[in-house]
Amino acid sequence: MDLQGQTAVITGASTGIGAVFARELAARGADVVLVARSIDRLQVVAEEITARHPVRAEVVAVDLRDPGAVDVVAERVAAAGGRVDLLVNNAGFATHGDLVGADPVRLADQVRLNCVAVVALTARFLPAMVARGQGAVVNVASTAAFQPLPHMAVYGASKAFVLSFSEALWAEARPAGVRVLALCPGATETPFFDVVGTRDSVVGAVRTPEQVVAAALRALERGRPVAIDGRRNALLARGGRLLSRRMLVRIAERTMRPTPAGT
Ligand SMILES: NC(=O)c1ccc[n+]([C@@H]2O[C@H](COP(=O)([O-])OP(=O)(O)OC[C@H]3O[C@@H](n4cnc5c(N)ncnc54)[C@H](OP(=O)(O)O)[C@@H]3O)[C@@H](O)[C@H]2O)c1
């Protein structure tokens, strides 16, 4: 995919999958706008990119839970010269544990970041892509999107939202020549699990963020609506369709059940 001279906005670009997206897109010639809260980490990624590739790397330090954050990103994009050719909605986080006893603010924050910000950024940048007849949006969902997720109920629901939203937009934007992809990684080796605070939710072999981003770029080139990284992850995610929802959620409950402390 030749992204020479194009501009990519990547949220959650300070670490993990987002930072790898930023590096890969810059390696293909894209100017990058890196969005996250940690200005220091964003600057490290930006400096590394501009040292290696002849592209521009802007950093935007915002908290995407804030309703005004999308305006800040849009203003910075406009100041940097204008249009967004590729939007990667990657910022997200999860909590683990039952809803009873969970911090309601952290639960709502997951919906704000994983869903509301994704909708707001897509609604801001997709219309111009459709008008131009060119561009792409990658929304990072998860294999968590394919079944209800007891003990991570809000996270699972938030990623089911991202998957459904993205597939619908794939169909809406396709006639205009704009690509929309739901990227569904399984467990991936990033600081994600430090934020979750446990590895109890790790299912299957852990993949690298480089593998995840490569899967996304392959699927984007082929115009696919959904990319599940890793064969085993794809088998598990799609295989769930063969079971009743009741059976599926019971299996998911056993898989996601927190291990007793100290075991
Ligand atoms: N790792 C996995 O196993 C896995 C599996 C499936 C799906 N995913 C999804 O992949 C995406 C990326 O996760 P990751 O694994 O790369 O995790 P990560 O390393 O923890 O990265 C999360 C990114 O989101 C940013 N972020 C968090 N809260 C934010 C906020 N309020 N405003 C703006 N940016 C914020 C973080 O930067 P700051 O802290 O600097 O803001 C960071 O750049 C997420 O949507 C996650 O749900 C991950």
Side-chain angles (χ1 to χ4, degrees):
M1 206 164 37
D2 183 16
L3 293 171
Q4 215 67 40
Q6 308 221 317
T7 300
V9 172
I10 304 123
T11 72
S14 61
T15 59
I17 295 169
V20 174
F21 258 116
R23 291 189 196 106
E24 281 299 317
L25 296 173
R28 290 162 190 244
D31 293 328
V32 289
V33 179
L34 312 177
V35 183
R37 291 167 302 179
S38 324
I39 182 83
D40 294 355
R41 289 207 305 255
L42 285 173
Q43 274 165 350
V44 169
V45 177
E47 280 162 22
E48 186 201 309
I49 283 173
T50 50
R52 285 191 185 180
H53 309 291
V55 299
R56 286 178 13 180
E58 300 279 334
V59 304
V60 186
V62 285
D63 188 332
L64 288 168
R65 292 171 301 180
D66 296 341
V70 174
D71 291 333
V72 176
V73 175
E75 278 160 22
R76 291 293 299 278
V77 167
R83 69 184 214 194
V84 174
D85 301 287
L86 176 56
L87 169 65
V88 182
N89 281 309
N90 162 78
F93 82 99
T95 54
H96 185 252
D98 286 6
L99 192 90
V100 173
D103 176 358
V105 175
R106 290 281 287 166
L107 296 177
D109 278 351
Q110 278 174 85
V111 178
R112 279 195 200 98
L113 182 63
N114 300 1
C115 304
V116 177
V118 172
V119 173
L121 283 164
T122 307
R124 180 61 68 105
F125 294 119
L126 184 69
M129 294 181 194
V130 169
R132 282 200 310 275
Q134 187 245 329
V137 178
V138 177
N139 291 330
V140 182
S142 166
T143 49
F146 292 91
Q147 65 286 301
L149 224 52
H151 313 298
M152 289 182 90
V154 172
Y155 181 69
S158 77
K159 293 304 184 178
F161 177 96
V162 174
L163 175 62
S164 170
F165 174 65
S166 308
E167 287 181 298
L169 293 190
W170 174 84
E172 284 185 19
R174 207 162 80 100
V178 174
R179 293 164 191 215
V180 179
L181 174 71
L183 171 62
C184 301
T188 308
E189 201 53 65
T190 71
F192 178 81
F193 294 104
D194 301 339
V195 178
V196 176
T198 170
R199 294 183 75 91
D200 281 353
S201 59
V202 173
V203 179
V206 178
R207 308 266 298 169
T208 68
E210 286 77 12
Q211 288 173 312
V212 170
V213 171
L217 297 180
R218 273 197 307 273
L220 206 55
E221 270 168 15
R222 292 173 189 163
R224 301 255 163 88
V226 179
I228 303 172
D229 171 57
R231 276 202 194 137
R232 191 167 180 277
N233 287 333
L235 207 67
L236 285 172
R238 301 215 189 275
R241 285 189 201 144
L242 303 172
L243 304 174
S244 69
R245 293 288 279 183
R246 182 183 157 147
M247 179 77 79
L248 193 58
V249 75
R250 288 181 64 176
I251 293 171
E253 192 282 321
R254 275 201 295 276
T255 310
M256 306 306 290
R257 195 179 293 166
T259 49
T263 62

